[in-house]
Amino acid sequence: MNDLAQLSIISKYQFKNYIRSKRLLTLVLITVGIGIAYILSIHFYVNTSYMDVKMFAKNWVSPLSYLVALASLFFGGDAIAGEYQNKTGYFLLPNPIKRESVLWGKYFASFLASTLVILIYWTFVILNVYYYYNTLPVSIWYSFGLSFLFLLSLLALTYLFSSLLNNGTVAIVIVSILYFLVLPVVDSMSMFIGYPPWFSINHSASILTLVFQGNYIGDYPTKQVINLGPGFNITIFNPSLSESITVMIGYFVVSAILATIIFHYKEMK
Amino acid sequence: MYIEAINLSKKYGNFYAIKNLNLKAEGGKCLGLLGPNGAGKTTTLKLFTNLLRPTSGEVIINGYSVQKDVKNALKDVGTLIETPNFYPYLTPIEILSMMCDIRGASRKNIKNALKETKLYQWRHAKVGKFSKGMKQRLAMAVALVTNPSILILDEPTSGMDPQGMAEIRNIIKNLKKDGKLIFMSSHLLPEITEVCDEVAMIDKGKLILHTSIERVSSMFISHSVIVELLEEVDNIDDLKEIKYVKDIIKINPYKLRIEFSGNAKEQYEILSSIIAKGYKVISYKNETLALEKAYLKLIGGDKNE
């Protein structure tokens, strides 16, 4: 049986697991909840006639990076580590199947489930923007595409930690700390020390909303020094479109290679 | 059809879990891997199934290296390692279908595998609610469902009730009749003697014996019998005069331990003499299982005897 067929079988059962365990349903409900909350807030508290369409769309897109992070953790955090923690690996791994097919089959299922969630959110965004403005700015399609590139890279990073660790919960906690605490702290520190946090995936993910700024894509300062008092400057760094794409692709490639190598040699002790 | 370990070693730090293991089993038979807890049985089977990577040496199955070509090496091998867990939201039918799909095998054997392991009535139940014994039965069904020629089973009756253990042993015996090669580990001596044709004894990661069950029994034949009598015995001097008897110990007034020289023939002659002297024998048997004695001698567990 060829590797691709085995990969698709692993994907199929992993996706079935997401459905049966209600993980997918939970995240879909969270997404729908966020969407409805936004719609109601806009309806009752925002006068859209005083707001530019791009600014309106930007506000809708701002929670998207958190949703992508949540989807990565939900579907990727314990995908590999769980096989070791729950001993399901004793069923799955001693078979005529390459570890690479197992890893990429699971990754594909995670990407598919996350894509479904992100698409539901984008449906809210696009319909609501169109409802109020009867037009869709070009930036929205940039942000749309970049959100999936961000998902691809963050999911690969999550799989790297899942391959590295034997405990699914620990893998989820570590990626959460990294994404929601360590990298935001690094981004903040960079403002004080004046060194651009180009290596941070959080920093790159800010491109999802930056594309809505200015008159055209990339019409914003990549470095802005603000004087807050005598001897006290802060520097705001914004990634360029090409820089963001490069860093996200870099995260995907490096994480995917490392995760594949680690899982290939990982033992079931 | 064969499995072979060549100079197989597995080291953790300075500790050898397996050291220079050379072992081969070929054709339709059952090879039992016997050893006390921590001897290296599960480590050996994990090395055979690519769950662990050897520090040195390799495992060959049907000419393919498990370490270099896992797909070809394990394509005709059914495995049961430890008591695996299953995805809790799937049913036994789905678990077995997944196994058939991964291996590119037909699903036609699913019903038989479920019936054979007495899980058919639970075929639509979620596996997450299964007991350890039921999971072990399902693990056995997983090993059988693709009808492989070789089975690698790690303590297949672990966690099962006596009836379940007997059923699994019967399955293994039937597989042997079908010409399958079975490599199973156990720390239960009666299980190995009942099911296997050959035994490989390991201790502290080293192979200490690999031979047939018959040969190991004859190598370490017991030279004492326990005799139970219907009536009380006051004086044993009369019995000590019997030819081949070396010593007699009175365990209680009705039970004696007779040590003798010779083999089965001499053992029979002693019994005949006891009866001829008018003693009413109700039981006459070897003190312990020969294999158990051999096993304890080999691993040094009989020092306190």
Side-chain angles (χ1 to χ4, degrees), chain A residues 218-244:
Chain A
D219 183 22
Y220 53 83
T222 52
K223 184 178 177 182
Q224 213 176 344
V225 180
I226 301 167
N227 184 262
L228 293 176
F232 182 35
N233 291 335
I234 62 162
T235 313
I236 294 171
F237 294 101
N238 289 316
S240 67
L241 180 64
S242 59
E243 185 186 322
S244 289

mmCIF file of all heavy atoms in Angstrom, chain A residues 218-244:
data_model
loop_
_atom_site.group_PDB
_atom_site.id
_atom_site.type_symbol
_atom_site.label_atom_id
_atom_site.label_comp_id
_atom_site.label_asym_id
_atom_site.label_seq_id
_atom_site.Cartn_x
_atom_site.Cartn_y
_atom_site.Cartn_z
ATOM 1 N N GLY A 218 0.830 47.611 2.261
ATOM 2 C CA GLY A 218 2.202 47.975 2.644
ATOM 3 C C GLY A 218 2.374 49.450 2.922
ATOM 4 O O GLY A 218 3.505 49.905 3.174
ATOM 5 N N ASP A 219 1.275 50.196 2.906
ATOM 6 C CA ASP A 219 1.346 51.646 3.146
ATOM 7 C C ASP A 219 1.298 51.945 4.653
ATOM 8 O O ASP A 219 0.317 52.442 5.177
ATOM 9 C CB ASP A 219 0.169 52.319 2.411
ATOM 10 C CG ASP A 219 0.218 53.842 2.568
ATOM 11 O OD1 ASP A 219 1.317 54.365 2.851
ATOM 12 O OD2 ASP A 219 -0.834 54.475 2.409
ATOM 13 N N TYR A 220 2.388 51.558 5.318
ATOM 14 C CA TYR A 220 2.515 51.833 6.754
ATOM 15 C C TYR A 220 3.999 51.833 7.103
ATOM 16 O O TYR A 220 4.805 51.198 6.411
ATOM 17 C CB TYR A 220 1.758 50.789 7.597
ATOM 18 C CG TYR A 220 2.137 49.359 7.267
ATOM 19 C CD1 TYR A 220 3.272 48.766 7.822
ATOM 20 C CD2 TYR A 220 1.374 48.615 6.384
ATOM 21 C CE1 TYR A 220 3.625 47.471 7.519
ATOM 22 C CE2 TYR A 220 1.725 47.303 6.067
ATOM 23 C CZ TYR A 220 2.847 46.743 6.641
ATOM 24 O OH TYR A 220 3.209 45.473 6.311
ATOM 25 N N PRO A 221 4.384 52.546 8.164
ATOM 26 C CA PRO A 221 5.810 52.575 8.522
ATOM 27 C C PRO A 221 6.240 51.241 9.147
ATOM 28 O O PRO A 221 5.499 50.674 9.945
ATOM 29 C CB PRO A 221 5.891 53.703 9.557
ATOM 30 C CG PRO A 221 4.511 53.808 10.123
ATOM 31 C CD PRO A 221 3.570 53.379 9.056
ATOM 32 N N THR A 222 7.402 50.748 8.752
ATOM 33 C CA THR A 222 7.881 49.494 9.357
ATOM 34 C C THR A 222 8.646 49.787 10.650
ATOM 35 O O THR A 222 8.877 48.886 11.442
ATOM 36 C CB THR A 222 8.796 48.716 8.384
ATOM 37 O OG1 THR A 222 9.810 49.608 7.930
ATOM 38 C CG2 THR A 222 8.015 48.175 7.201
ATOM 39 N N LYS A 223 9.021 51.062 10.836
ATOM 40 C CA LYS A 223 9.705 51.430 12.077
ATOM 41 C C LYS A 223 9.267 52.845 12.455
ATOM 42 O O LYS A 223 9.301 53.743 11.626
ATOM 43 C CB LYS A 223 11.225 51.384 11.875
ATOM 44 C CG LYS A 223 12.012 51.668 13.136
ATOM 45 C CD LYS A 223 13.512 51.568 12.870
ATOM 46 C CE LYS A 223 14.287 51.933 14.123
ATOM 47 N NZ LYS A 223 15.737 51.883 13.889
ATOM 48 N N GLN A 224 8.859 52.976 13.706
ATOM 49 C CA GLN A 224 8.332 54.266 14.141
ATOM 50 C C GLN A 224 8.875 54.536 15.538
ATOM 51 O O GLN A 224 8.585 53.783 16.477
ATOM 52 C CB GLN A 224 6.808 54.159 14.193
ATOM 53 C CG GLN A 224 6.085 55.420 13.864
ATOM 54 C CD GLN A 224 4.574 55.189 13.837
ATOM 55 O OE1 GLN A 224 4.086 54.062 13.780
ATOM 56 N NE2 GLN A 224 3.840 56.266 13.883
ATOM 57 N N VAL A 225 9.679 55.593 15.690
ATOM 58 C CA VAL A 225 10.237 55.920 17.017
ATOM 59 C C VAL A 225 9.366 57.003 17.653
ATOM 60 O O VAL A 225 9.108 58.045 17.056
ATOM 61 C CB VAL A 225 11.701 56.395 16.908
ATOM 62 C CG1 VAL A 225 12.270 56.720 18.300
ATOM 63 C CG2 VAL A 225 12.554 55.349 16.220
ATOM 64 N N ILE A 226 8.886 56.708 18.852
ATOM 65 C CA ILE A 226 8.012 57.663 19.551
ATOM 66 C C ILE A 226 8.693 58.090 20.846
ATOM 67 O O ILE A 226 9.122 57.241 21.641
ATOM 68 C CB ILE A 226 6.638 57.018 19.866
ATOM 69 C CG1 ILE A 226 5.956 56.551 18.567
ATOM 70 C CG2 ILE A 226 5.734 57.961 20.637
ATOM 71 C CD1 ILE A 226 4.769 55.652 18.761
ATOM 72 N N ASN A 227 8.797 59.407 21.000
ATOM 73 C CA ASN A 227 9.413 59.944 22.219
ATOM 74 C C ASN A 227 8.338 60.116 23.278
ATOM 75 O O ASN A 227 7.385 60.850 23.099
ATOM 76 C CB ASN A 227 10.104 61.265 21.887
ATOM 77 C CG ASN A 227 10.827 61.799 23.112
ATOM 78 O OD1 ASN A 227 10.305 62.651 23.819
ATOM 79 N ND2 ASN A 227 12.020 61.273 23.362
ATOM 80 N N LEU A 228 8.523 59.408 24.398
ATOM 81 C CA LEU A 228 7.520 59.474 25.471
ATOM 82 C C LEU A 228 7.978 60.337 26.646
ATOM 83 O O LEU A 228 7.298 60.437 27.656
ATOM 84 C CB LEU A 228 7.193 58.068 25.975
ATOM 85 C CG LEU A 228 6.482 57.142 24.981
ATOM 86 C CD1 LEU A 228 6.308 55.769 25.589
ATOM 87 C CD2 LEU A 228 5.136 57.696 24.546
ATOM 88 N N GLY A 229 9.154 60.923 26.511
ATOM 89 C CA GLY A 229 9.672 61.761 27.588
ATOM 90 C C GLY A 229 11.165 61.872 27.455
ATOM 91 O O GLY A 229 11.759 61.258 26.553
ATOM 92 N N PRO A 230 11.799 62.641 28.347
ATOM 93 C CA PRO A 230 13.257 62.807 28.249
ATOM 94 C C PRO A 230 13.985 61.463 28.357
ATOM 95 O O PRO A 230 13.830 60.760 29.349
ATOM 96 C CB PRO A 230 13.596 63.712 29.438
ATOM 97 C CG PRO A 230 12.298 64.273 29.918
ATOM 98 C CD PRO A 230 11.218 63.371 29.482
ATOM 99 N N GLY A 231 14.703 61.123 27.314
ATOM 100 C CA GLY A 231 15.504 59.878 27.308
ATOM 101 C C GLY A 231 14.666 58.623 27.230
ATOM 102 O O GLY A 231 15.157 57.526 27.500
ATOM 103 N N PHE A 232 13.395 58.725 26.925
ATOM 104 C CA PHE A 232 12.542 57.535 26.885
ATOM 105 C C PHE A 232 11.842 57.428 25.528
ATOM 106 O O PHE A 232 10.864 58.127 25.262
ATOM 107 C CB PHE A 232 11.521 57.593 28.028
ATOM 108 C CG PHE A 232 10.619 56.376 28.091
ATOM 109 C CD1 PHE A 232 11.095 55.105 27.766
ATOM 110 C CD2 PHE A 232 9.293 56.503 28.491
ATOM 111 C CE1 PHE A 232 10.277 54.002 27.831
ATOM 112 C CE2 PHE A 232 8.456 55.398 28.549
ATOM 113 C CZ PHE A 232 8.952 54.144 28.227
ATOM 114 N N ASN A 233 12.407 56.575 24.692
ATOM 115 C CA ASN A 233 11.831 56.345 23.361
ATOM 116 C C ASN A 233 11.307 54.916 23.273
ATOM 117 O O ASN A 233 11.887 54.000 23.862
ATOM 118 C CB ASN A 233 12.903 56.510 22.279
ATOM 119 C CG ASN A 233 13.338 57.956 22.159
ATOM 120 O OD1 ASN A 233 12.591 58.879 22.493
ATOM 121 N ND2 ASN A 233 14.574 58.150 21.711
ATOM 122 N N ILE A 234 10.263 54.755 22.560
ATOM 123 C CA ILE A 234 9.860 53.381 22.203
ATOM 124 C C ILE A 234 9.818 53.295 20.678
ATOM 125 O O ILE A 234 9.554 54.286 19.992
ATOM 126 C CB ILE A 234 8.499 52.954 22.808
ATOM 127 C CG1 ILE A 234 7.345 53.831 22.317
ATOM 128 C CG2 ILE A 234 8.547 52.862 24.313
ATOM 129 C CD1 ILE A 234 5.989 53.202 22.536
ATOM 130 N N THR A 235 10.122 52.079 20.201
ATOM 131 C CA THR A 235 10.129 51.874 18.748
ATOM 132 C C THR A 235 9.059 50.856 18.389
ATOM 133 O O THR A 235 9.047 49.753 18.957
ATOM 134 C CB THR A 235 11.509 51.357 18.276
ATOM 135 O OG1 THR A 235 12.512 52.160 18.884
ATOM 136 C CG2 THR A 235 11.644 51.410 16.770
ATOM 137 N N ILE A 236 8.179 51.255 17.512
ATOM 138 C CA ILE A 236 7.150 50.313 17.049
ATOM 139 C C ILE A 236 7.612 49.731 15.717
ATOM 140 O O ILE A 236 7.925 50.471 14.783
ATOM 141 C CB ILE A 236 5.786 51.016 16.902
ATOM 142 C CG1 ILE A 236 5.288 51.462 18.283
ATOM 143 C CG2 ILE A 236 4.751 50.082 16.257
ATOM 144 C CD1 ILE A 236 4.074 52.353 18.250
ATOM 145 N N PHE A 237 7.701 48.407 15.698
ATOM 146 C CA PHE A 237 8.117 47.728 14.464
ATOM 147 C C PHE A 237 6.906 47.057 13.821
ATOM 148 O O PHE A 237 6.105 46.406 14.506
ATOM 149 C CB PHE A 237 9.162 46.651 14.774
ATOM 150 C CG PHE A 237 10.458 47.213 15.272
ATOM 151 C CD1 PHE A 237 10.760 47.193 16.636
ATOM 152 C CD2 PHE A 237 11.387 47.751 14.399
ATOM 153 C CE1 PHE A 237 11.951 47.692 17.098
ATOM 154 C CE2 PHE A 237 12.588 48.253 14.866
ATOM 155 C CZ PHE A 237 12.875 48.234 16.221
ATOM 156 N N ASN A 238 6.776 47.240 12.547
ATOM 157 C CA ASN A 238 5.736 46.539 11.784
ATOM 158 C C ASN A 238 6.415 45.729 10.690
ATOM 159 O O ASN A 238 7.272 46.260 9.975
ATOM 160 C CB ASN A 238 4.769 47.532 11.129
ATOM 161 C CG ASN A 238 3.893 48.210 12.147
ATOM 162 O OD1 ASN A 238 3.373 47.581 13.060
ATOM 163 N ND2 ASN A 238 3.733 49.528 12.004
ATOM 164 N N PRO A 239 6.036 44.450 10.552
ATOM 165 C CA PRO A 239 6.686 43.650 9.500
ATOM 166 C C PRO A 239 6.150 44.026 8.119
ATOM 167 O O PRO A 239 4.974 44.385 7.986
ATOM 168 C CB PRO A 239 6.277 42.220 9.859
ATOM 169 C CG PRO A 239 4.961 42.368 10.549
ATOM 170 C CD PRO A 239 5.006 43.691 11.270
ATOM 171 N N SER A 240 7.022 43.944 7.130
ATOM 172 C CA SER A 240 6.541 44.155 5.763
ATOM 173 C C SER A 240 5.846 42.879 5.303
ATOM 174 O O SER A 240 5.986 41.818 5.935
ATOM 175 C CB SER A 240 7.712 44.472 4.836
ATOM 176 O OG SER A 240 8.537 43.328 4.726
ATOM 177 N N LEU A 241 5.114 42.980 4.208
ATOM 178 C CA LEU A 241 4.385 41.802 3.698
ATOM 179 C C LEU A 241 5.353 40.661 3.372
ATOM 180 O O LEU A 241 5.150 39.518 3.787
ATOM 181 C CB LEU A 241 3.590 42.203 2.444
ATOM 182 C CG LEU A 241 2.772 41.100 1.784
ATOM 183 C CD1 LEU A 241 1.666 40.603 2.693
ATOM 184 C CD2 LEU A 241 2.164 41.597 0.458
ATOM 185 N N SER A 242 6.441 41.008 2.672
ATOM 186 C CA SER A 242 7.393 39.950 2.275
ATOM 187 C C SER A 242 8.087 39.343 3.495
ATOM 188 O O SER A 242 8.323 38.137 3.553
ATOM 189 C CB SER A 242 8.426 40.513 1.289
ATOM 190 O OG SER A 242 9.111 41.578 1.896
ATOM 191 N N GLU A 243 8.390 40.202 4.488
ATOM 192 C CA GLU A 243 9.052 39.718 5.699
ATOM 193 C C GLU A 243 8.129 38.734 6.440
ATOM 194 O O GLU A 243 8.572 37.658 6.876
ATOM 195 C CB GLU A 243 9.379 40.921 6.596
ATOM 196 C CG GLU A 243 10.179 40.582 7.840
ATOM 197 C CD GLU A 243 10.324 41.810 8.742
ATOM 198 O OE1 GLU A 243 10.501 42.929 8.229
ATOM 199 O OE2 GLU A 243 10.231 41.641 9.961
ATOM 200 N N SER A 244 6.858 39.094 6.551
ATOM 201 C CA SER A 244 5.898 38.222 7.240
ATOM 202 C C SER A 244 5.762 36.880 6.549
ATOM 203 O O SER A 244 5.785 35.828 7.186
ATOM 204 C CB SER A 244 4.523 38.887 7.284
ATOM 205 O OG SER A 244 4.542 39.948 8.171
#
